[in-house]
Amino acid sequence: MHRLNHAYVAFSILTLASMLTAAEPIEPSGPVEIISGEFAFTEGPAWNPSSKSLYFSDIPNASIHQLTESKKIEIFTSDSKHTNGMVVAADGRLLACQMDGQVVSYNPQTRDATVIAGAYDGKRFNAPNDLVIDSVGGIYFTDPLFRAPTPLPQTVQAVYYVTPAGKVTRVTDDIAAPNGIGLSPDDKSLYVIPSQQAEMLVYDVQAAGQLGDGRTLCTLAQPEGETKTGGDGMAVDVQGNLYITTHLGVQIFSPTGEARGLVKFPEQPANVTFGGSELKTMYVTARTGLYQVEMPISGLASN
């Protein structure tokens, strides 16, 4: 009978466990390329799979642009009321956070806007920033202080949920500048990206519009000499990895919060989404420019 070397077995188990849990690096499969660099401050990239086009906003110029399939950039609207984050719904509507105080839905053909959420508890929102749609058609959106009146109309900075029927509830406590937002592929985790702290947050989704207590998912790498720089926008891929725009670039984290990579850009990124035929083109809005880079993993649709 062979005798097992228990020390060797223990070492092998630990080694196997580390192999199974270690987060492999995620790196671009192509170069970072600039599409255009003629804007004031780009934000809110949103991929439209039906038209194979990309929407993005230019906040100071109160405009929304559309990058067409033929790679032409056209004006979608020049009266966006300082639209920031956007997402394309399953029915083709363009949902947008207008920093002037409301969340709206654009008809992509007529380009008319319909208010989805304009107030909570009888008061306008501070300045809706970014949003994500869940599997039942509800909308989570962040409402921080950027471009908001003072004192803040809502007095707190928080996350809200809009049901498909239009009912609005506040689903988090006060957060230091909640900015980007996203959902895991199974809709069970809501990610909130604050801009005034290094710790990124995750909430367990107990039911649509019902969250557990928030906790730290990961801590962003910081520029030299800094400790509290936060994130801005975010996207999620089909494996559940998070792509967070930060001062250093797009920082990538696993669903459990392990660092998996960093994609650098010539300008500080503001927001990110995936598009293209396989959803492997990562589009990034970064200050005056719109950029693209090919990635190895497909992004999650409408996130």
Side-chain angles (χ1 to χ4, degrees):
M1 180 181 293
H2 295 289
R3 294 182 180 274
L4 292 175
N5 184 320
H6 294 289
Y8 173 78
V9 171
F11 173 79
S12 299
I13 292 174
L14 288 173
T15 302
L16 178 61
S18 66
M19 290 174 61
L20 293 174
T21 58
E24 293 293 329
I26 298 175
E27 299 175 342
S29 50
V32 171
E33 301 174 316
I34 187 166
I35 298 171
S36 181
E38 302 176 350
F39 306 98
F41 192 101
T42 56
E43 252 286 2
W47 177 252
N48 185 333
S50 62
S51 63
K52 297 180 176 61
S53 63
L54 180 83
Y55 299 102
F56 64 98
S57 58
D58 185 351
I59 296 175
N61 289 321
S63 59
I64 296 173
H65 298 266
Q66 188 172 12
L67 175 70
T68 68
E69 186 177 8
S70 62
K71 302 304 178 184
K72 292 178 59 178
I73 295 179
E74 302 173 348
I75 288 282
F76 180 80
T77 179
S78 56
D79 183 24
S80 75
K81 295 177 173 55
H82 302 103
T83 284
N84 193 323
M86 297 184 288
V87 66
V88 176
D91 59 8
R93 292 175 302 147
L94 177 64
L95 309 186
C97 284
Q98 295 183 340
M99 299 178 80
D100 290 6
Q102 56 195 10
V103 178
V104 303
S105 167
Y106 282 99
N107 180 312
Q109 281 74 45
T110 66
R111 305 187 181 188
D112 294 330
T114 301
V115 176
I116 294 174
Y120 176 74
D121 198 22
K123 302 172 184 176
R124 64 158 274 182
F125 295 106
N126 300 330
N129 191 288
D130 211 349
L131 73 170
V132 66
I133 307 171
D134 67 12
S135 59
V136 300
I139 302 166
Y140 293 94
F141 70 93
T142 55
D143 188 43
L145 74 167
F146 311 114
R147 293 193 79 99
T150 52
L152 295 179
Q154 288 296 332
T155 70
V156 299
Q157 301 173 63
V159 176
Y160 295 83
Y161 183 75
V162 188
T163 68
K167 181 182 178 182
V168 181
T169 55
R170 183 184 290 158
V171 294
T172 70
D173 295 328
D174 199 11
I175 301 172
N179 200 327
I181 192 166
L183 280 164
S184 60
D186 61 7
D187 264 16
K188 292 183 178 180
S189 299
L190 181 76
Y191 306 109
V192 178
I193 308 303
S195 289
Q196 295 182 349
Q197 62 186 51
E199 297 79 21
M200 303 296 98
L201 306 177
V202 60
Y203 296 79
D204 293 329
V205 179
Q206 299 170 341
Q210 298 179 26
L211 306 179
D213 294 334
R215 63 185 184 278
T216 297
L217 172 75
C218 60
T219 301
L220 297 180
Q222 298 290 298
E224 186 175 356
E226 302 285 347
T227 58
K228 295 183 178 180
T229 67
D232 197 333
M234 71 161 291
V236 177
D237 69 24
V238 293
Q239 296 180 7
N241 299 298
L242 281 69
Y243 298 71
I244 303 173
T245 57
T246 74
H247 286 65
L248 297 178
V250 175
Q251 295 187 39
I252 307 171
F253 293 89
S254 74
T256 55
E258 297 171 281
R260 297 198 66 181
L262 169 66
V263 184
K264 296 183 178 181
F265 292 82
E267 302 177 85
Q268 181 179 327
N271 215 331
V272 55
T273 196
F274 285 90
S277 59
E278 297 181 346
L279 294 181
K280 288 185 176 180
T281 303
M282 187 167 74
Y283 290 102
V284 171
T285 52
R287 299 309 187 257
T288 63
L290 172 66
Y291 296 83
Q292 68 179 25
V293 58
E294 295 302 313
M295 299 298 291
I297 305 171
S298 296
L300 195 64
S302 297
N303 207 308

